[in-house]
Amino acid sequence: MDKKLCSRFNEMSRRFVMKGGTVVALAHANKHFDRDGKPIPAGTSDVIDDCDCAYILYEIGTDETTQRKTVRFENKKNRGNVAQHANYSYSIKDGITYDDLLESVTPLDDVEMETIIHEADRKSDEEMIDIVTACIQDGITTKMELADAVASCAKISRRAAIGIIEKYTGTDTKVHLWNYKVQERGAKVYSLLDGNAGDLS
């Protein structure tokens, strides 16, 4: 946390690397997240500034049924040909040994990760989805009226309400929950897709 000591350490690390060595450094993030929900490095930005390659590690979600946690390493800085991200899951069962924990680590491809991210999004948006669904079921179906109703009910901004509405708008029932038809005077009138009753269980 001391910038002078950190700078001195980084200088020593650079000399070591120039002799052919490799330094793997772990740093922490602060308690806040950026607008994309990703960790922000704190107190250790000098390490990232001086290194050749850096990844941010963050949690995607936890599956309570399988007792596995999913995480992603996302590249923040590189000076070479490195992967832009890497995905893994591992066991979080109680009483698991350290060896079993290491053996449980499993790499995930992007297709598997996309499904997990979507499920995590759905879970975190569950309350908002239920509100939008209830409003549509109550006959509030034009986009602006729907956004106003959702914003009022959820106590969020109209912009945030529109964001949730648009996020789940479309025709793919694996991803979307409602869609609209353009009617008189260009009004977008929403209806629920078949099978969506607002229950994510």
Side-chain angles (χ1 to χ4, degrees):
M1 299 300 291
D2 186 305
K3 291 184 71 68
K4 289 184 178 180
L5 291 177
C6 185
S7 178
R8 188 181 307 168
F9 173 78
N10 290 339
E11 289 175 2
M12 293 176 62
S13 296
R14 177 56 60 190
R15 291 201 298 269
F16 175 66
V17 170
M18 294 298 290
K19 294 292 186 178
T22 298
V23 176
V24 178
L26 302 180
H28 71 282
N30 65 26
K31 298 178 181 179
H32 305 289
F33 297 86
D34 64 21
R35 64 179 59 187
D36 295 321
K38 298 174 183 177
I40 301 173
T44 52
S45 60
D46 288 343
V47 175
I48 293 180
D49 291 342
D50 292 342
C51 74
D52 296 316
C53 183
Y55 285 85
I56 298 295
L57 169 63
Y58 57 95
E59 179 181 346
I60 296 298
T62 299
D63 188 324
E64 299 296 343
T65 302
T66 61
Q67 288 290 282
R68 294 186 68 84
K69 180 174 289 188
T70 302
V71 297
R72 165 169 280 191
F73 289 82
E74 188 164 307
N75 185 254
K76 185 176 180 67
K77 178 181 180 182
N78 71 75
R79 290 175 180 158
N81 184 22
V82 300
Q84 291 304 299
H85 58 260
N87 315 309
Y88 298 91
S89 73
Y90 58 90
S91 175
I92 55 170
K93 292 180 179 178
D94 290 336
I96 190 172
T97 67
Y98 187 70
D99 286 343
D100 288 340
L101 172 61
L102 289 179
E103 290 181 2
S104 76
V105 176
T106 304
L108 302 172
D109 62 32
D110 287 346
V111 174
E112 294 172 304
M113 197 63 171
E114 185 176 344
T115 299
I116 292 172
I117 291 174
H118 174 64
E119 291 175 351
D121 275 352
R122 284 281 295 266
K123 185 175 181 180
S124 65
D125 291 338
E126 182 174 357
E127 182 179 355
M128 297 299 303
I129 289 171
D130 286 345
I131 291 173
V132 176
T133 299
C135 288
I136 294 175
Q137 290 174 332
D138 287 343
I140 305 172
T141 56
T142 62
K143 185 173 184 178
M144 291 302 101
E145 289 179 349
L146 182 59
D148 288 339
V150 171
S152 176
C153 185
K155 294 180 173 55
I156 59 175
S157 69
R158 189 190 207 196
R159 181 177 180 180
I162 291 174
I164 285 291
I165 293 169
E166 293 180 344
K167 183 176 181 178
Y168 294 100
T169 296
T171 58
D172 185 350
T173 55
K174 294 181 180 179
V175 178
H176 306 124
L177 299 172
W178 43 73
N179 201 13
Y180 66 84
K181 291 183 178 179
V182 178
Q183 298 190 0
E184 293 182 7
R185 299 180 181 177
K188 295 179 179 178
V189 179
Y190 280 76
S191 62
L192 301 177
L193 297 181
D194 291 341
N196 174 30
D199 182 4
L200 301 183
S201 62

